[in-house]
Amino acid sequence: MRVPRPFLIAIADTGIASPTKIAVGDVRHGWERERNRYEKIFDEIGVIAGDARNAIERGDVTALGSLMLKNQDCLQQIGVSSIEIEELVDGRGGRRSGGGKTFGGGSRREM
């Protein structure tokens, strides 16, 4: 991937451990119960990922931030979020500064 100019990404950690294996299992159980709903969300995440790559290659950090927020909304819909993650994304500047999303295993904690 070509990046036309450097840009900064801030990384924040909730400090809550959540093994990816468990989060993936939870998503699979949700998918088994509501396949059509989950498939639509997975398709949307795929489109967002492609659009994000294009935004990075264009150096369009504003579009990238917006896409990160859209992706986070999708992750929240499939249960890969928590109150603490949403506070980082919403309450501590992610939405105000232009972007934010879950990386890693997400969280199993109830919202």
Side-chain angles (χ1 to χ4, degrees), residues 21-84:
K21 178 180 179 180
I22 293 171
V24 169
D26 290 347
V27 171
R28 180 175 181 84
H29 292 303
W31 173 79
E32 289 170 344
R33 287 189 312 272
E34 300 179 73
R35 287 183 190 220
N36 289 337
R37 178 176 166 263
Y38 274 66
E39 289 295 332
K40 287 178 185 176
I41 295 168
F42 295 155
D43 289 345
E44 185 175 352
I45 290 170
V47 169
I48 291 167
D51 290 348
R53 179 185 178 114
N54 292 335
I56 291 169
E57 290 177 337
R58 289 190 318 271
D60 188 346
V61 295
T62 301
L64 178 61
S66 176
L67 291 162
M68 290 172 69
L69 292 171
K70 283 178 67 175
N71 185 270
Q72 179 59 32
D73 291 340
C74 291
L75 295 174
Q76 184 180 31
Q77 290 176 48
I78 60 173
V80 186
S81 195
S82 67
I83 291 169
E84 294 83 2

